[in-house]
Amino acid sequence: MTKITKLDDIVSLCKRRGFIFQSSEIYGGLASCYDYGPLGVELKNNVKKAWWKNVVQMRDDVVGLDCSILMHPLVWKASGHADQFVDLVAECKKCNIRTRVDHLKEKIAETEPRPLGSGGTQEHTEHIAIDAAIAKAQDLSGKICPNCGTVGQFTDPMPFRLMFETQMGANVDDSMLMYLRPETAQGIFVNFRNVLDTTRVKIPFGIAQIGKSFRNEVTTKAFIFRTREFEQAELEFFCEPGTDEKWYEHWKEQRFNWYLNLGIKKENLKFRVHEADELAHYAKACVDVEYKFPFGSGDWQELEGIANRTDFDLRQHQRGMRTLNKWFENDGNLNNIKLAEEAEDYQSGPLSYFDDEQRKRYIPYVIEPSAGIDRSTLAFLVDAYDEEEVRGETRNLLRFHHALAPIKVGIFPLVKKEGMPEVAQNIYNDLKKYFNCFYDEKGAVGRRYRRQDEAGTPFCVTVDGQTMQDNTVTVRERDSMEQVRISTDQLHNHLREKLEL
Ligand code: ATP
């Protein structure tokens, strides 16, 4: 059973063991930005590899992509982000701190522990008319400021844009206002035609991408759960209208099982179906995969959203393409232009698909599983954490799935003499060609085992006196602590089989 019940505990665990550090720490830190340390980068890379293997490598119907973060500004006009990707915020009149309106709590909830995602289940107001969102915002007279505790002293809700802006171009005259992408998905939609034209994909098929996204989030302070720079793993699965419900169910099941198969405990994972009034107007259905973070009283929070986005995105980009001339005429100023109306024959537009067998053209529907790499890395970490009593001592360990473990094998000489370090070094040099290994000869061997348990290393190999006589070594397994003797020439095969790599 995990014993982590406070967010601070996981933050200090991550720091102590070199998983995650505050960004720019020596300068006092940069809020809501984090750096992955030596163990953290291995863990996060393994999470990405596991996603890619499952969603791209093992499937015949998905291809990959890696798009640039900076994209043409019209992309964000067409997607709706330029006008509507905002959070509604209210400023406390006493301390002048702004909070997301949907994250404000009633005064009676004052003593409840502060949840990891800061409470709300609502989405950003993406694709919702801002006026309507403001009208819908509840009465704030009973709400409490999370910063200073003042009740009901808020300004009216106002929109706060979440996209980071930057300038592109060296000359003042032709420099252009750009946005750091707030999601990776749009890069996939704008490359739909390129992928169709250059590969043999046929509908149904998907395009997958892992990459950084940026959002100037209002509410942070939740470690890597909600940051301003984060990584997403997104799949856009294109299918024929009418088959979309089947594919939606398919991806729900696939994605849920992905977390379970990588070791997340079943009781900590669930779906949360979005109610009709929570859905974006174009979405037919949406569900979140939620994880029960053990902090406070236990808090279900979104790891991934899976949505049936219909044909909205490709149709919007067809409108975006029709707006290009107007954009040039307006010197590239997005604020002065409206997105062009849709063509009457939009079904045969530039982002349509021609089905050879049925001899018909249509705009495909899209099923989108959209996962957060940092959030799932945090969930894998928290879920793997364990403490147990062994011979009167507490053993801390991370029971990572083998595929996720940052280090796969620790290699030790029992003592630093009698030729043992040399033999252990040779084994290390050989095995590191295949697995991420760690060589350690410092301190008592028991302590070295504990250190690897804490890093989540599944196997440790120890060279001892007997090795020098019969060429066998001890292989110790992390979870059971069982030890077996294996001949050195069988070692690689033995570990490969056990690790299933
Ligand atoms: P939330 O409601 O928590 O702000 P969202 O519904 O806006 O999230 P999506 O736009 O659906 O999130 O993004 C897909 C996934 O990307 C989320 O499920 C989450 O795992 C991840 N994600 C989104 N925003 C952040 C963030 N600020 N920090 C870390 N991960 C994020």
Side-chain angles (χ1 to χ4, degrees):
M1 264 286 289
T2 173
K3 302 283 175 0
I4 293 184
T5 51
K6 289 206 290 293
L7 187 58
D8 287 350
D9 291 345
I10 190 86
V11 175
S12 69
L13 176 103
C14 286
K15 165 103 203 260
R16 234 178 24 247
R17 300 195 194 154
F19 278 98
I20 298 163
F21 308 124
Q22 176 80 62
S23 161
S24 318
E25 200 182 88
I26 61 167
Y27 288 97
L30 182 65
S32 99
C33 294
Y34 291 90
D35 301 338
Y36 287 78
L39 287 180
V41 65
E42 298 291 344
L43 174 63
K44 188 179 174 194
N45 280 344
N46 290 340
V47 172
K48 289 192 272 184
K49 268 190 235 157
W51 187 89
W52 196 263
K53 183 170 181 187
N54 185 264
V55 174
V56 185
Q57 186 185 329
M58 298 301 287
R59 297 193 59 118
D60 301 332
D61 55 359
V62 177
V63 293
L65 197 67
D66 183 23
C67 307
S68 62
I69 287 169
L70 298 174
M71 298 176 74
H72 195 289
L74 267 182
V75 168
W76 308 114
K77 186 80 182 173
S79 70
H81 288 85
D83 296 327
Q84 285 168 331
F85 194 53
V86 300
D87 273 341
L88 284 191
V89 297
E91 193 170 303
C92 172
K93 289 178 183 161
K94 188 113 184 266
C95 67
N96 296 341
I97 294 291
R98 290 175 179 182
T99 310
R100 258 173 82 163
V101 169
D102 59 315
H103 284 177
L104 286 173
K105 300 208 144 256
E106 289 292 337
K107 186 175 175 357
I108 41 164
E110 201 173 348
T111 50
E112 284 176 12
R114 186 188 160 89
L116 184 60
S118 290
T121 52
Q122 292 181 21
E123 305 290 302
H124 304 300
T125 57
E126 183 192 359
H127 311 312
I128 303 171
I130 293 167
D131 293 349
I134 290 178
K136 232 182 103 186
Q138 301 140 346
D139 172 20
L140 304 182
S141 58
K143 304 281 181 178
I144 178 162
C145 171
N147 185 54
C148 70
T150 305
V151 179
Q153 293 294 310
F154 293 101
T155 60
D156 287 339
M158 53 194 157
F160 175 78
R161 182 182 274 191
L162 295 168
M163 283 204 294
F164 281 100
E165 294 178 357
T166 186
Q167 295 285 331
M168 187 158 111
N171 301 313
V172 180
D173 291 349
D174 60 13
S175 90
M176 191 164 38
L177 176 67
M178 306 286 285
Y179 300 102
L180 301 187
R181 67 179 177 199
E183 61 175 36
T184 60
Q186 299 306 322
I188 296 178
F189 295 124
V190 303
N191 275 293
F192 174 70
R193 186 83 258 155
N194 278 339
V195 174
L196 268 189
D197 291 347
T198 56
T199 65
R200 297 218 186 125
V201 288
K202 278 192 160 51
I203 274 180
F205 76 93
I207 306 178
Q209 166 162 230
I210 298 178
K212 290 253 179 170
S213 295
F214 302 82
R215 296 180 187 177
N216 196 6
E217 297 277 5
V218 181
T219 310
T220 52
K221 293 189 187 151
F223 196 35
I224 58 166
F225 180 84
R226 187 184 304 285
T227 49
R228 293 191 169 117
E229 174 180 344
F230 55 97
E231 238 167 324
Q232 289 184 308
E234 297 197 291
L235 167 71
E236 306 305 321
F237 194 82
F238 301 94
C239 61
E240 189 183 348
T243 64
D244 50 305
E245 288 177 17
K246 180 186 90 185
W247 285 111
Y248 177 66
E249 291 306 321
H250 170 85
W251 282 109
K252 265 174 68 181
E253 187 190 330
Q254 289 286 312
R255 295 303 306 139
F256 199 81
N257 288 339
W258 181 77
Y259 293 98
L260 294 182
N261 292 338
L262 284 172
I264 295 281
K265 294 175 198 78
K266 211 170 174 176
E267 63 269 25
N268 291 337
L269 207 64
K270 73 165 169 86
F271 281 126
R272 187 183 71 81
V273 179
H274 286 214
E275 301 299 333
D277 66 347
E278 211 187 323
L279 286 178
H281 65 88
Y282 55 83
K284 223 168 128 177
C286 186
V287 69
D288 289 342
V289 178
E290 291 192 336
Y291 178 72
K292 190 174 194 297
F293 283 94
F295 313 115
S297 55
D299 194 17
W300 289 100
Q301 293 291 340
E302 171 182 340
L303 292 182
E304 164 161 1
I306 302 159
N308 180 343
R309 299 180 63 92
T310 68
D311 52 4
F312 175 78
D313 304 278
L314 292 175
R315 283 171 66 178
Q316 284 296 104
H317 285 298
Q318 289 193 156
R319 291 179 66 190
M321 291 163 80
R322 289 160 64 83
T323 316
L324 204 51
N325 280 345
K326 219 189 285 167
W327 181 77
F328 277 118
E329 286 161 16
N330 277 284
D331 299 326
N333 187 344
L334 283 189
N335 293 327
N336 296 337
I337 51 171
K338 269 180 67 184
L339 207 57
E341 289 304 320
E342 194 162 35
E344 259 178 41
D345 61 344
Y346 73 86
Q347 290 281 8
S348 51
L351 301 183
S352 63
Y353 174 78
F354 184 69
D355 186 320
D356 268 338
E357 276 158 35
Q358 301 188 62
R359 313 295 302 162
K360 73 170 186 190
R361 205 170 253 292
Y362 58 86
I363 304 284
Y365 268 34
V366 169
I367 308 301
E368 178 193 75
S370 170
I373 293 293
D374 310 82
R375 275 191 200 177
S376 48
T377 299
L378 183 64
F380 286 123
L381 237 164
V382 167
D383 214 72
Y385 183 76
D386 203 358
E387 291 176 14
E388 62 181 20
E389 285 295 304
V390 180
R391 289 184 288 278
E393 270 185 42
T394 305
R395 180 170 89 112
N396 298 329
L397 71 161
L398 286 164
R399 296 186 193 271
F400 284 131
H401 185 281
H402 292 172
L404 300 185
I407 301 167
K408 309 294 183 205
V409 188
I411 297 142
F412 322 140
L414 182 65
V415 288
K416 255 201 304 191
K417 54 186 181 188
E418 293 159 24
M420 289 181 212
E422 290 75 14
V423 176
Q425 274 283 356
N426 282 342
I427 292 174
Y428 168 67
N429 287 334
D430 182 40
L431 290 182
K432 74 179 177 186
K433 287 184 253 168
Y434 312 103
F435 322 112
N436 200 16
C437 295
F438 186 79
Y439 178 81
D440 190 4
E441 56 179 28
K442 289 186 200 78
V445 75
R447 292 192 59 165
R448 282 180 263 163
Y449 283 143
R450 293 286 185 274
R451 221 175 291 151
Q452 291 308 310
D453 288 344
E454 292 193 345
T457 307
F459 294 100
C460 289
V461 170
T462 304
V463 170
D464 55 18
Q466 196 178 326
T467 314
M468 315 313 280
Q469 327 248 307
D470 65 2
N471 269 330
T472 61
V473 289
T474 303
V475 178
R476 174 197 183 262
E477 200 267 332
R478 175 195 67 203
D479 295 347
S480 63
M481 293 185 289
E482 264 170 25
Q483 303 195 2
V484 289
R485 284 208 82 86
I486 302 288
S487 148
T488 47
D489 20 306
Q490 289 304 314
L491 188 59
H492 173 213
N493 276 345
H494 174 84
L495 290 169
R496 206 189 53 211
E497 263 170 42
K498 290 276 174 195
L499 287 164
E500 289 179 45
L501 295 175

